[in-house]
Amino acid sequence: MIVRRKDREITDDKRIAEMISRCYCCRLAFHDVDAPYIVPMNFGYEQDGKQFVFYFHGATEGRKMELIQKGNAVGFEMDTNYMLNEAETPCGYSSRFQSIIGTGHIQILTDHKEKEYALSRIMLHNTGKEEWEFPAKMLDSVAVFKLVVKELSCKEHK
């Protein structure tokens, strides 16, 4: 993805992973017939080399599920460390932030082992704990999604 302000672009994978680790909401953007649809979600993730993969969970029915079933291209956004920089004049105001945006392909996971792994990544990111048990009944009642990132850009404004 092209970042207009190259002076704010972050390209180091380690720094990007650090920023992602401080985010707790990922907004997924879907293309719907009438209008875009954006939904905030908690998430888990992993990084394999330069490849990022995000995991989400949700209801087994509803608009999000319908859109994932129709097509699997999505956009996403997450941000952290926001702070307003005050000034004497309106044009002097700015903000500090770190943001990550990108695109990818999302799919519904159906295999219990894959769902367990994805849910454990979500729990690790949100709680710092890895050892969780997921009963089969719970795995059957929840939808779990895997987003493989195609493009990602990251920027920071201090």
Side-chain angles (χ1 to χ4, degrees), residues 25-51:
C25 178
C26 181
R27 293 159 193 89
L28 292 179
F30 298 89
H31 179 266
D32 203 352
V33 176
D34 297 328
Y37 178 64
I38 299 173
V39 61
M41 302 192 68
N42 65 358
F43 69 97
Y45 73 98
E46 64 185 346
Q47 180 184 6
D48 183 12
K50 289 191 171 286
Q51 180 68 63

Side-chain angles (χ1 to χ4, degrees), residues 22-146:
R22 289 191 298 273
C23 296
Y24 288 96
C25 178
C26 181
R27 293 159 193 89
L28 292 179
F30 298 89
H31 179 266
D32 203 352
V33 176
D34 297 328
Y37 178 64
I38 299 173
V39 61
M41 302 192 68
N42 65 358
F43 69 97
Y45 73 98
E46 64 185 346
Q47 180 184 6
D48 183 12
K50 289 191 171 286
Q51 180 68 63
F52 284 93
V53 176
F54 295 99
Y55 298 101
F56 310 92
H57 68 90
T60 58
E61 56 186 41
R63 187 173 180 189
K64 175 179 66 233
M65 190 69 155
E66 290 170 9
L67 292 170
I68 291 172
Q69 290 169 337
K70 285 182 183 177
N72 62 7
V74 297
F76 65 90
E77 184 277 342
M78 59 187 83
D79 54 79
T80 188
N81 292 334
Y82 178 86
M83 179 186 284
L84 182 64
N85 292 328
E86 296 183 16
E88 295 296 318
T89 63
C91 291
Y93 273 74
S94 67
S95 59
R96 299 173 64 170
F97 64 88
Q98 295 172 318
S99 66
I100 300 103
I101 62 169
T103 60
H105 292 83
I106 195 165
Q107 65 187 52
I108 301 166
L109 299 179
T110 56
D111 179 77
H112 274 204
K113 291 284 185 205
E114 288 180 323
K115 289 173 88 168
E116 285 178 348
Y117 179 77
L119 291 168
S120 71
R121 300 308 298 175
I122 294 168
M123 294 303 294
L124 174 63
H125 178 67
N126 287 280
T127 70
K129 298 177 187 176
E130 282 191 81
E131 301 301 320
W132 297 96
E133 290 186 28
F134 303 98
K137 185 175 181 178
M138 189 275 299
L139 292 172
D140 289 334
S141 68
V142 68
V144 180
F145 315 106
K146 176 181 179 179

Side-chain angles (χ1 to χ4, degrees), residues 1 3 5-11 153-156:
M1 301 189 88
V3 174
R5 294 286 307 262
K6 294 294 184 189
D7 60 319
R8 296 181 181 168
E9 183 176 28
I10 305 297
T11 57
S153 66
C154 181
K155 70 179 182 178
E156 176 178 49

